[in-house]
PDB file of all heavy atoms in Angstrom:
ATOM      1  N   GLY N  21     207.318  57.765  64.064  1.00 94.00           N
ATOM      2  CA  GLY N  21     206.927  58.447  62.887  1.00 94.00           C
ATOM      3  C   GLY N  21     205.453  58.366  62.644  1.00 94.00           C
ATOM      4  O   GLY N  21     204.673  58.685  63.576  1.00 94.00           O
ATOM      5  N   GLU N  22     205.027  58.038  61.518  1.00 95.00           N
ATOM      6  CA  GLU N  22     203.608  58.103  61.020  1.00 95.00           C
ATOM      7  C   GLU N  22     202.772  57.039  61.870  1.00 95.00           C
ATOM      8  O   GLU N  22     201.536  57.193  61.835  1.00 95.00           O
ATOM      9  CB  GLU N  22     203.512  57.672  59.552  1.00 95.00           C
ATOM     10  CG  GLU N  22     204.110  58.703  58.571  1.00 95.00           C
ATOM     11  CD  GLU N  22     203.146  59.922  58.438  1.00 95.00           C
ATOM     12  OE1 GLU N  22     202.084  59.986  59.120  1.00 95.00           O
ATOM     13  OE2 GLU N  22     203.584  60.888  57.755  1.00 95.00           O
ATOM     14  N   GLU N  23     203.360  56.099  62.541  1.00 97.00           N
ATOM     15  CA  GLU N  23     202.670  55.163  63.292  1.00 97.00           C
ATOM     16  C   GLU N  23     202.226  55.646  64.716  1.00 97.00           C
ATOM     17  O   GLU N  23     201.545  55.023  65.426  1.00 97.00           O
ATOM     18  CB  GLU N  23     203.524  53.892  63.517  1.00 97.00           C
ATOM     19  CG  GLU N  23     203.830  53.188  62.209  1.00 97.00           C
ATOM     20  CD  GLU N  23     202.625  52.683  61.566  1.00 97.00           C
ATOM     21  OE1 GLU N  23     201.674  52.173  62.153  1.00 97.00           O
ATOM     22  OE2 GLU N  23     202.521  52.914  60.243  1.00 97.00           O
ATOM     23  N   ALA N  24     202.680  56.955  65.018  1.00 97.00           N
ATOM     24  CA  ALA N  24     202.299  57.520  66.342  1.00 97.00           C
ATOM     25  C   ALA N  24     201.385  58.597  66.147  1.00 97.00           C
ATOM     26  O   ALA N  24     201.257  59.321  65.112  1.00 97.00           O
ATOM     27  CB  ALA N  24     203.600  57.982  67.061  1.00 97.00           C
ATOM     28  N   ARG N  25     200.543  58.928  67.218  1.00 96.00           N
ATOM     29  CA  ARG N  25     199.655  60.064  67.233  1.00 96.00           C
ATOM     30  C   ARG N  25     199.800  60.723  68.625  1.00 96.00           C
ATOM     31  O   ARG N  25     199.953  60.039  69.638  1.00 96.00           O
ATOM     32  CB  ARG N  25     198.173  59.616  66.984  1.00 96.00           C
ATOM     33  CG  ARG N  25     197.850  59.221  65.600  1.00 96.00           C
ATOM     34  CD  ARG N  25     197.883  60.375  64.629  1.00 96.00           C
ATOM     35  NE  ARG N  25     197.385  59.998  63.310  1.00 96.00           N
ATOM     36  CZ  ARG N  25     198.123  59.398  62.355  1.00 96.00           C
ATOM     37  NH1 ARG N  25     199.417  59.191  62.621  1.00 96.00           N
ATOM     38  NH2 ARG N  25     197.648  59.094  61.149  1.00 96.00           N
ATOM     39  N   ILE N  26     199.659  62.064  68.536  1.00 97.00           N
ATOM     40  CA  ILE N  26     199.712  62.858  69.826  1.00 97.00           C
ATOM     41  C   ILE N  26     198.263  62.941  70.338  1.00 97.00           C
ATOM     42  O   ILE N  26     197.316  63.247  69.626  1.00 97.00           O
ATOM     43  CB  ILE N  26     200.260  64.282  69.619  1.00 97.00           C
ATOM     44  CG1 ILE N  26     201.778  64.160  69.227  1.00 97.00           C
ATOM     45  CG2 ILE N  26     200.082  65.125  70.831  1.00 97.00           C
ATOM     46  CD1 ILE N  26     202.638  63.810  70.379  1.00 97.00           C
ATOM     47  N   LEU N  27     198.069  62.743  71.680  1.00 97.00           N
ATOM     48  CA  LEU N  27     196.819  62.841  72.318  1.00 97.00           C
ATOM     49  C   LEU N  27     196.786  64.122  73.187  1.00 97.00           C
ATOM     50  O   LEU N  27     197.641  64.075  74.175  1.00 97.00           O
ATOM     51  CB  LEU N  27     196.395  61.655  73.094  1.00 97.00           C
ATOM     52  CG  LEU N  27     195.132  61.729  73.934  1.00 97.00           C
ATOM     53  CD1 LEU N  27     193.870  62.002  73.092  1.00 97.00           C
ATOM     54  CD2 LEU N  27     195.029  60.522  74.848  1.00 97.00           C
ATOM     55  N   ALA N  28     196.020  65.137  72.876  1.00 97.00           N
ATOM     56  CA  ALA N  28     195.911  66.298  73.813  1.00 97.00           C
ATOM     57  C   ALA N  28     194.533  66.372  74.354  1.00 97.00           C
ATOM     58  O   ALA N  28     194.201  65.859  75.372  1.00 97.00           O
ATOM     59  CB  ALA N  28     196.334  67.565  73.088  1.00 97.00           C
ATOM     60  N   GLY N  29     193.602  67.040  73.633  1.00 95.00           N
ATOM     61  CA  GLY N  29     192.194  66.959  74.038  1.00 95.00           C
ATOM     62  C   GLY N  29     191.532  65.718  73.526  1.00 95.00           C
ATOM     63  O   GLY N  29     190.625  65.224  74.242  1.00 95.00           O
ATOM     64  N   GLY N  30     191.863  65.324  72.310  1.00 93.00           N
ATOM     65  CA  GLY N  30     191.243  63.999  71.813  1.00 93.00           C
ATOM     66  C   GLY N  30     189.889  64.115  71.279  1.00 93.00           C
ATOM     67  O   GLY N  30     189.275  63.112  71.001  1.00 93.00           O
ATOM     68  N   GLN N  31     189.304  65.358  71.106  1.00 92.00           N
ATOM     69  CA  GLN N  31     187.950  65.437  70.762  1.00 92.00           C
ATOM     70  C   GLN N  31     187.720  65.066  69.332  1.00 92.00           C
ATOM     71  O   GLN N  31     186.600  64.534  68.913  1.00 92.00           O
ATOM     72  CB  GLN N  31     187.481  66.882  70.876  1.00 92.00           C
ATOM     73  CG  GLN N  31     187.477  67.380  72.365  1.00 92.00           C
ATOM     74  CD  GLN N  31     186.728  66.430  73.228  1.00 92.00           C
ATOM     75  OE1 GLN N  31     185.529  66.222  73.258  1.00 92.00           O
ATOM     76  NE2 GLN N  31     187.430  65.705  74.094  1.00 92.00           N
ATOM     77  N   SER N  32     188.715  65.144  68.424  1.00 92.00           N
ATOM     78  CA  SER N  32     188.650  64.569  67.128  1.00 92.00           C
ATOM     79  C   SER N  32     189.259  63.304  66.945  1.00 92.00           C
ATOM     80  O   SER N  32     188.762  62.328  66.283  1.00 92.00           O
ATOM     81  CB  SER N  32     189.346  65.698  66.078  1.00 92.00           C
ATOM     82  OG  SER N  32     188.631  66.862  66.041  1.00 92.00           O
ATOM     83  N   LEU N  33     190.441  63.147  67.633  1.00 92.00           N
ATOM     84  CA  LEU N  33     191.174  61.857  67.529  1.00 92.00           C
ATOM     85  C   LEU N  33     190.485  60.670  68.069  1.00 92.00           C
ATOM     86  O   LEU N  33     190.458  59.539  67.463  1.00 92.00           O
ATOM     87  CB  LEU N  33     192.505  62.035  68.254  1.00 92.00           C
ATOM     88  CG  LEU N  33     193.501  60.831  68.198  1.00 92.00           C
ATOM     89  CD1 LEU N  33     193.779  60.371  66.797  1.00 92.00           C
ATOM     90  CD2 LEU N  33     194.750  61.059  69.099  1.00 92.00           C
ATOM     91  N   ALA N  34     189.774  60.813  69.207  1.00 91.00           N
ATOM     92  CA  ALA N  34     189.067  59.718  69.780  1.00 91.00           C
ATOM     93  C   ALA N  34     187.954  59.169  68.782  1.00 91.00           C
ATOM     94  O   ALA N  34     187.793  57.884  68.641  1.00 91.00           O
ATOM     95  CB  ALA N  34     188.490  60.094  71.112  1.00 91.00           C
ATOM     96  N   ALA N  35     187.295  60.019  68.214  1.00 90.00           N
ATOM     97  CA  ALA N  35     186.216  59.561  67.281  1.00 90.00           C
ATOM     98  C   ALA N  35     186.900  58.869  66.088  1.00 90.00           C
ATOM     99  O   ALA N  35     186.412  57.839  65.605  1.00 90.00           O
ATOM    100  CB  ALA N  35     185.438  60.804  66.690  1.00 90.00           C
ATOM    101  N   MET N  36     188.042  59.368  65.593  1.00 92.00           N
ATOM    102  CA  MET N  36     188.653  58.788  64.485  1.00 92.00           C
ATOM    103  C   MET N  36     189.334  57.366  64.847  1.00 92.00           C
ATOM    104  O   MET N  36     189.254  56.404  64.050  1.00 92.00           O
ATOM    105  CB  MET N  36     189.760  59.710  63.903  1.00 92.00           C
ATOM    106  CG  MET N  36     189.239  60.907  63.365  1.00 92.00           C
ATOM    107  SD  MET N  36     190.506  62.028  62.783  1.00 92.00           S
ATOM    108  CE  MET N  36     191.018  61.191  61.261  1.00 92.00           C
ATOM    109  N   LEU N  37     189.761  57.296  66.092  1.00 91.00           N
ATOM    110  CA  LEU N  37     190.179  55.981  66.610  1.00 91.00           C
ATOM    111  C   LEU N  37     189.059  54.981  66.605  1.00 91.00           C
ATOM    112  O   LEU N  37     189.235  53.812  66.200  1.00 91.00           O
ATOM    113  CB  LEU N  37     190.817  56.119  68.018  1.00 91.00           C
ATOM    114  CG  LEU N  37     192.208  56.798  68.004  1.00 91.00           C
ATOM    115  CD1 LEU N  37     192.542  57.155  69.489  1.00 91.00           C
ATOM    116  CD2 LEU N  37     193.266  56.008  67.362  1.00 91.00           C
ATOM    117  N   ASN N  38     187.955  55.459  67.176  1.00 92.00           N
ATOM    118  CA  ASN N  38     186.809  54.458  67.396  1.00 92.00           C
ATOM    119  C   ASN N  38     186.243  53.963  66.001  1.00 92.00           C
ATOM    120  O   ASN N  38     185.831  52.793  65.930  1.00 92.00           O
ATOM    121  CB  ASN N  38     185.743  55.161  68.188  1.00 92.00           C
ATOM    122  CG  ASN N  38     186.025  55.206  69.674  1.00 92.00           C
ATOM    123  OD1 ASN N  38     186.923  54.414  70.156  1.00 92.00           O
ATOM    124  ND2 ASN N  38     185.434  56.190  70.380  1.00 92.00           N
ATOM    125  N   MET N  39     186.296  54.909  65.043  1.00 92.00           N
ATOM    126  CA  MET N  39     185.812  54.459  63.704  1.00 92.00           C
ATOM    127  C   MET N  39     186.952  53.840  62.866  1.00 92.00           C
ATOM    128  O   MET N  39     186.718  53.388  61.725  1.00 92.00           O
ATOM    129  CB  MET N  39     185.244  55.672  62.996  1.00 92.00           C
ATOM    130  CG  MET N  39     184.049  56.269  63.531  1.00 92.00           C
ATOM    131  SD  MET N  39     183.296  57.575  62.548  1.00 92.00           S
ATOM    132  CE  MET N  39     184.418  58.934  63.026  1.00 92.00           C
ATOM    133  N   ARG N  40     188.088  53.732  63.461  1.00 92.00           N
ATOM    134  CA  ARG N  40     189.257  53.029  62.885  1.00 92.00           C
ATOM    135  C   ARG N  40     189.724  53.793  61.551  1.00 92.00           C
ATOM    136  O   ARG N  40     190.160  53.144  60.612  1.00 92.00           O
ATOM    137  CB  ARG N  40     189.033  51.587  62.617  1.00 92.00           C
ATOM    138  CG  ARG N  40     188.717  50.891  63.870  1.00 92.00           C
ATOM    139  CD  ARG N  40     188.888  49.381  63.807  1.00 92.00           C
ATOM    140  NE  ARG N  40     188.672  48.788  65.159  1.00 92.00           N
ATOM    141  CZ  ARG N  40     189.014  47.536  65.467  1.00 92.00           C
ATOM    142  NH1 ARG N  40     189.519  46.740  64.589  1.00 92.00           N
ATOM    143  NH2 ARG N  40     188.666  47.031  66.690  1.00 92.00           N
ATOM    144  N   LEU N  41     189.354  55.106  61.490  1.00 91.00           N
ATOM    145  CA  LEU N  41     189.889  55.925  60.364  1.00 91.00           C
ATOM    146  C   LEU N  41     191.390  56.134  60.472  1.00 91.00           C
ATOM    147  O   LEU N  41     192.047  56.411  59.445  1.00 91.00           O
ATOM    148  CB  LEU N  41     189.227  57.304  60.327  1.00 91.00           C
ATOM    149  CG  LEU N  41     187.650  57.232  60.073  1.00 91.00           C
ATOM    150  CD1 LEU N  41     187.008  58.571  60.234  1.00 91.00           C
ATOM    151  CD2 LEU N  41     187.357  56.490  58.724  1.00 91.00           C
ATOM    152  N   VAL N  42     191.908  56.023  61.743  1.00 93.00           N
ATOM    153  CA  VAL N  42     193.349  56.048  61.967  1.00 93.00           C
ATOM    154  C   VAL N  42     193.700  54.873  62.858  1.00 93.00           C
ATOM    155  O   VAL N  42     192.820  54.530  63.717  1.00 93.00           O
ATOM    156  CB  VAL N  42     193.903  57.358  62.601  1.00 93.00           C
ATOM    157  CG1 VAL N  42     193.676  58.510  61.616  1.00 93.00           C
ATOM    158  CG2 VAL N  42     193.142  57.666  63.900  1.00 93.00           C
ATOM    159  N   ARG N  43     194.814  54.215  62.644  1.00 95.00           N
ATOM    160  CA  ARG N  43     195.123  53.071  63.407  1.00 95.00           C
ATOM    161  C   ARG N  43     196.624  53.179  63.880  1.00 95.00           C
ATOM    162  O   ARG N  43     197.565  52.450  63.414  1.00 95.00           O
ATOM    163  CB  ARG N  43     194.953  51.800  62.579  1.00 95.00           C
ATOM    164  CG  ARG N  43     193.561  51.523  62.243  1.00 95.00           C
ATOM    165  CD  ARG N  43     193.373  50.233  61.606  1.00 95.00           C
ATOM    166  NE  ARG N  43     192.036  49.897  61.211  1.00 95.00           N
ATOM    167  CZ  ARG N  43     191.573  48.686  61.007  1.00 95.00           C
ATOM    168  NH1 ARG N  43     192.383  47.585  61.127  1.00 95.00           N
ATOM    169  NH2 ARG N  43     190.348  48.496  60.663  1.00 95.00           N
ATOM    170  N   PRO N  44     196.989  54.117  64.755  1.00 95.00           N
ATOM    171  CA  PRO N  44     198.297  54.240  65.200  1.00 95.00           C
ATOM    172  C   PRO N  44     198.740  53.057  66.062  1.00 95.00           C
ATOM    173  O   PRO N  44     197.890  52.383  66.722  1.00 95.00           O
ATOM    174  CB  PRO N  44     198.282  55.534  66.154  1.00 95.00           C
ATOM    175  CG  PRO N  44     196.925  55.557  66.625  1.00 95.00           C
ATOM    176  CD  PRO N  44     196.044  54.982  65.479  1.00 95.00           C
ATOM    177  N   THR N  45     200.052  52.776  66.041  1.00 96.00           N
ATOM    178  CA  THR N  45     200.562  51.654  66.916  1.00 96.00           C
ATOM    179  C   THR N  45     200.929  52.267  68.251  1.00 96.00           C
ATOM    180  O   THR N  45     201.134  51.498  69.237  1.00 96.00           O
ATOM    181  CB  THR N  45     201.810  50.975  66.239  1.00 96.00           C
ATOM    182  OG1 THR N  45     202.827  51.993  66.025  1.00 96.00           O
ATOM    183  CG2 THR N  45     201.365  50.401  64.932  1.00 96.00           C
ATOM    184  N   LEU N  46     201.042  53.603  68.311  1.00 97.00           N
ATOM    185  CA  LEU N  46     201.369  54.252  69.567  1.00 97.00           C
ATOM    186  C   LEU N  46     200.727  55.559  69.765  1.00 97.00           C
ATOM    187  O   LEU N  46     200.536  56.375  68.837  1.00 97.00           O
ATOM    188  CB  LEU N  46     202.906  54.568  69.564  1.00 97.00           C
ATOM    189  CG  LEU N  46     203.374  55.378  70.752  1.00 97.00           C
ATOM    190  CD1 LEU N  46     203.343  54.554  72.109  1.00 97.00           C
ATOM    191  CD2 LEU N  46     204.887  55.879  70.611  1.00 97.00           C
ATOM    192  N   LEU N  47     200.029  55.714  70.945  1.00 97.00           N
ATOM    193  CA  LEU N  47     199.374  56.916  71.320  1.00 97.00           C
ATOM    194  C   LEU N  47     200.200  57.651  72.340  1.00 97.00           C
ATOM    195  O   LEU N  47     200.476  57.004  73.369  1.00 97.00           O
ATOM    196  CB  LEU N  47     197.967  56.633  71.857  1.00 97.00           C
ATOM    197  CG  LEU N  47     196.965  57.758  71.796  1.00 97.00           C
ATOM    198  CD1 LEU N  47     196.720  58.233  70.338  1.00 97.00           C
ATOM    199  CD2 LEU N  47     195.655  57.309  72.460  1.00 97.00           C
ATOM    200  N   ILE N  48     200.630  58.935  72.161  1.00 98.00           N
ATOM    201  CA  ILE N  48     201.451  59.694  72.988  1.00 98.00           C
ATOM    202  C   ILE N  48     200.537  60.724  73.742  1.00 98.00           C
ATOM    203  O   ILE N  48     200.221  61.713  73.117  1.00 98.00           O
ATOM    204  CB  ILE N  48     202.605  60.352  72.270  1.00 98.00           C
ATOM    205  CG1 ILE N  48     203.358  59.262  71.412  1.00 98.00           C
ATOM    206  CG2 ILE N  48     203.545  61.095  73.250  1.00 98.00           C
ATOM    207  CD1 ILE N  48     204.428  59.817  70.522  1.00 98.00           C
ATOM    208  N   ASP N  49     200.322  60.543  74.932  1.00 98.00           N
ATOM    209  CA  ASP N  49     199.422  61.364  75.750  1.00 98.00           C
ATOM    210  C   ASP N  49     200.320  62.418  76.419  1.00 98.00           C
ATOM    211  O   ASP N  49     201.098  62.160  77.368  1.00 98.00           O
ATOM    212  CB  ASP N  49     198.756  60.500  76.817  1.00 98.00           C
ATOM    213  CG  ASP N  49     197.751  61.321  77.671  1.00 98.00           C
ATOM    214  OD1 ASP N  49     197.742  62.581  77.580  1.00 98.00           O
ATOM    215  OD2 ASP N  49     196.936  60.648  78.338  1.00 98.00           O
ATOM    216  N   ILE N  50     200.095  63.653  75.971  1.00 98.00           N
ATOM    217  CA  ILE N  50     200.985  64.769  76.485  1.00 98.00           C
ATOM    218  C   ILE N  50     200.352  65.607  77.563  1.00 98.00           C
ATOM    219  O   ILE N  50     200.849  66.669  77.993  1.00 98.00           O
ATOM    220  CB  ILE N  50     201.406  65.763  75.379  1.00 98.00           C
ATOM    221  CG1 ILE N  50     200.123  66.424  74.678  1.00 98.00           C
ATOM    222  CG2 ILE N  50     202.235  64.973  74.215  1.00 98.00           C
ATOM    223  CD1 ILE N  50     200.460  67.516  73.785  1.00 98.00           C
ATOM    224  N   ASN N  51     199.230  65.026  78.121  1.00 97.00           N
ATOM    225  CA  ASN N  51     198.447  65.906  79.061  1.00 97.00           C
ATOM    226  C   ASN N  51     199.243  66.083  80.492  1.00 97.00           C
ATOM    227  O   ASN N  51     198.831  66.921  81.221  1.00 97.00           O
ATOM    228  CB  ASN N  51     197.113  65.224  79.375  1.00 97.00           C
ATOM    229  CG  ASN N  51     196.097  65.509  78.285  1.00 97.00           C
ATOM    230  OD1 ASN N  51     195.505  66.543  78.246  1.00 97.00           O
ATOM    231  ND2 ASN N  51     196.001  64.541  77.347  1.00 97.00           N
ATOM    232  N   ARG N  52     200.233  65.364  80.648  1.00 96.00           N
ATOM    233  CA  ARG N  52     201.059  65.592  81.868  1.00 96.00           C
ATOM    234  C   ARG N  52     202.017  66.740  81.723  1.00 96.00           C
ATOM    235  O   ARG N  52     202.615  67.166  82.722  1.00 96.00           O
ATOM    236  CB  ARG N  52     201.778  64.235  82.251  1.00 96.00           C
ATOM    237  CG  ARG N  52     202.506  64.299  83.536  1.00 96.00           C
ATOM    238  CD  ARG N  52     203.127  62.955  83.834  1.00 96.00           C
ATOM    239  NE  ARG N  52     202.138  61.982  84.255  1.00 96.00           N
ATOM    240  CZ  ARG N  52     202.352  60.731  84.341  1.00 96.00           C
ATOM    241  NH1 ARG N  52     203.550  60.196  84.125  1.00 96.00           N
ATOM    242  NH2 ARG N  52     201.348  59.925  84.722  1.00 96.00           N
ATOM    243  N   LEU N  53     202.214  67.217  80.546  1.00 97.00           N
ATOM    244  CA  LEU N  53     203.237  68.325  80.276  1.00 97.00           C
ATOM    245  C   LEU N  53     202.799  69.686  80.527  1.00 97.00           C
ATOM    246  O   LEU N  53     202.269  70.401  79.664  1.00 97.00           O
ATOM    247  CB  LEU N  53     203.805  68.075  78.867  1.00 97.00           C
ATOM    248  CG  LEU N  53     204.162  66.673  78.437  1.00 97.00           C
ATOM    249  CD1 LEU N  53     204.747  66.601  77.068  1.00 97.00           C
ATOM    250  CD2 LEU N  53     205.199  66.150  79.429  1.00 97.00           C
TER     251      LEU N  53
END
């Protein structure tokens, strides 16, 4: 649920992760799909 985040391009998400604005417990990388 809310504890997961989807990673596609990551251009916004990566910055938010590094600044700890979001703290998911699971990152789901869909780039293989």
Side-chain angles (χ1 to χ4, degrees):
E22 293 285 358
E23 297 299 316
R25 289 290 187 276
I26 294 287
L27 173 65
Q31 298 307 292
S32 298
L33 179 59
M36 295 178 74
L37 288 169
N38 286 338
M39 291 185 285
R40 302 199 175 189
L41 296 174
V42 294
R43 298 188 178 199
T45 59
L46 175 66
L47 202 61
I48 304 170
D49 184 348
I50 63 171
N51 280 278
R52 186 176 286 171
L53 308 182

